[in-house]
Amino acid sequence: MTRVSAGARIHVGFQNLSLSHERLYGGVGFALDRPRVSIEATRADSVRCTDTLVAEYATAICDLLDVPGVDLTVTERLPRHVGLGSGTQIALATLTAVAEAYDREPRVRERAPALGRGGRSGVGVATFERGGFVVDAGHPTTRFTTDTPEDGSWTVPPVVVRRDLPESWRVLLVYPDADAGRSGETEDASMRAAVERADPDLADELAGILTRRLLPAVAAGECEPFGRAVTAFDRRNGTWYTDAQGGVYRPPAGALVDELEASAALSGVGQSSWGPAVYGITDASRERAAREAGEAALDAVGVAGSVETVGVANAGARVE
């Protein structure tokens, strides 16, 4: 039996959505040690799995690898469509579990596009591979089309920066009871609309935040400057999507971010991807206070939900 376990990721945002610049997208994000997806796999003569999404991926993967089937058990589940990258982590964990069960090389970066993953952001693939803080190169703007590309027709953006984060850092996750974040065709349509009207000046602002604030804070391992830079990058990045989500942050994430920004327990806050999950940057010494701040924010906004603090991950998926 093979067991594969992969953690979630935070997507801080994209460097550029404007067609006026040479490269498009360019994801920025980092890996979390949990929540996780864990999948156990054994060889079989057909695909057997009670999880519908995993079974769907497994069927495509068995065709891709030219193997007869696999028996899969999902022992840990990532929350779906909350902004933590569950789709990519589930797809790649399934790919790796099936491949390893048959003593094959998973080659996740090469095969992710065939599973519909890594088309815009390469952060999820990169964190699955090695964890850490990641910046990817995006795609040449000339490749952008108004039509959705076919699965497998792209390559995953290469990594331009990958750094370990201090083990003492913690991430507050606040999950409001709200509608799921955008995914699939809805997400694709929203992203294409954002690209077609994106302001090139905003990309220049984001480049300044990334190169003069965020990357130096990562290199120095400084939590406070890192948190402030993440907040600035995440907030400015949200400007790309004001029409799609009704503001810089989607409701109720915006109200939660406003509440959390006032807390001394957090160095920075933001909305991961399309949300509704909100995250905060802190460290082990403020972990309890950060959780209390998250619970207080939910109460102040009048929204039910849950809160947890997790560690960062400086390694990729675990294979046993």
Side-chain angles (χ1 to χ4, degrees):
M1 181 188 74
T2 298
R3 184 173 187 268
V4 178
S5 178
R9 63 94 182 102
I10 293 294
H11 200 272
V12 181
F14 286 114
Q15 299 170 63
N16 173 54
L17 294 188
S18 171
L19 296 172
S20 298
H21 293 294
E22 288 188 9
R23 297 197 74 87
L24 197 61
Y25 307 125
V28 178
F30 54 94
L32 304 178
D33 66 356
R34 57 186 175 86
R36 305 185 71 80
V37 56
S38 297
I39 299 175
E40 296 174 350
T42 55
R43 297 184 187 186
D45 56 8
S46 63
V47 172
R48 297 195 290 268
C49 184
T50 58
D51 186 298
T52 304
L53 179 62
V54 172
E56 183 179 329
Y57 278 130
T59 299
I61 290 162
C62 286
D63 289 341
L64 194 64
L65 299 178
D66 193 25
V67 297
V70 65
D71 192 332
L72 297 166
T73 301
V74 182
T75 58
E76 291 183 274
R77 286 176 168 81
L78 275 170
R80 296 279 290 136
H81 305 315
V82 298
L84 298 181
S86 61
T88 295
Q89 302 310 306
I90 291 169
L92 299 186
T94 305
L95 168 62
T96 303
V98 176
E100 293 285 350
Y102 280 92
D103 299 319
R104 305 280 186 86
E105 287 292 330
R107 304 209 306 261
V108 294
R109 180 165 290 269
E110 174 187 328
R111 291 171 170 148
L115 301 176
R117 314 312 305 181
R120 279 183 291 269
S121 173
V123 171
V125 175
T127 55
F128 184 92
E129 291 175 315
R130 295 183 58 203
F133 174 86
V134 173
V135 179
D136 76 57
H139 295 282
T141 303
T142 52
R143 294 183 186 171
F144 178 78
T145 64
T146 55
D147 297 323
T148 303
E150 295 292 329
D151 288 351
S153 64
W154 61 81
T155 56
V156 178
V159 174
V160 292
V161 174
R162 189 267 166 207
R163 297 291 296 250
D164 282 355
L165 295 175
E167 298 289 344
S168 62
W169 287 9
R170 300 290 184 269
V171 179
L172 169 72
L173 297 175
V174 180
Y175 306 100
D177 289 348
D179 292 339
R182 292 170 187 250
S183 62
E185 293 181 1
T186 302
E187 178 186 18
D188 191 70
S190 296
M191 285 299 302
R192 290 179 183 284
V195 167
E196 288 168 358
R197 60 173 175 264
D199 178 2
D201 292 340
L202 179 55
D204 295 334
E205 288 185 50
L206 288 166
I209 296 169
L210 178 65
T211 57
R212 294 194 292 270
R213 298 177 60 184
L214 189 49
L215 292 180
V218 171
E222 297 172 339
C223 189
E224 289 295 327
F226 177 80
R228 291 194 298 269
V230 161
T231 301
F233 193 96
D234 193 291
R235 185 178 290 278
R236 295 303 293 142
N237 188 82
T239 306
W240 298 120
Y241 316 110
T242 52
D243 290 344
Q245 61 183 12
V248 171
Y249 303 108
R250 57 160 293 187
L256 290 170
V257 167
D258 289 343
E259 291 291 332
L260 291 171
E261 272 194 288
S263 173
L266 298 169
S267 303
V269 294
Q271 170 186 297
S272 184
S273 188
W274 291 103
V278 169
Y279 66 93
I281 308 299
T282 188
D283 56 34
S285 68
R286 298 177 291 170
E287 189 170 359
R288 180 176 178 178
R291 286 196 299 270
E292 292 172 349
E295 291 163 355
L298 287 169
D299 289 341
V301 175
V303 176
S306 61
V307 168
E308 66 175 331
T309 48
V310 303
V312 295
N314 290 319
R318 304 168 190 162
V319 181
E320 300 172 1

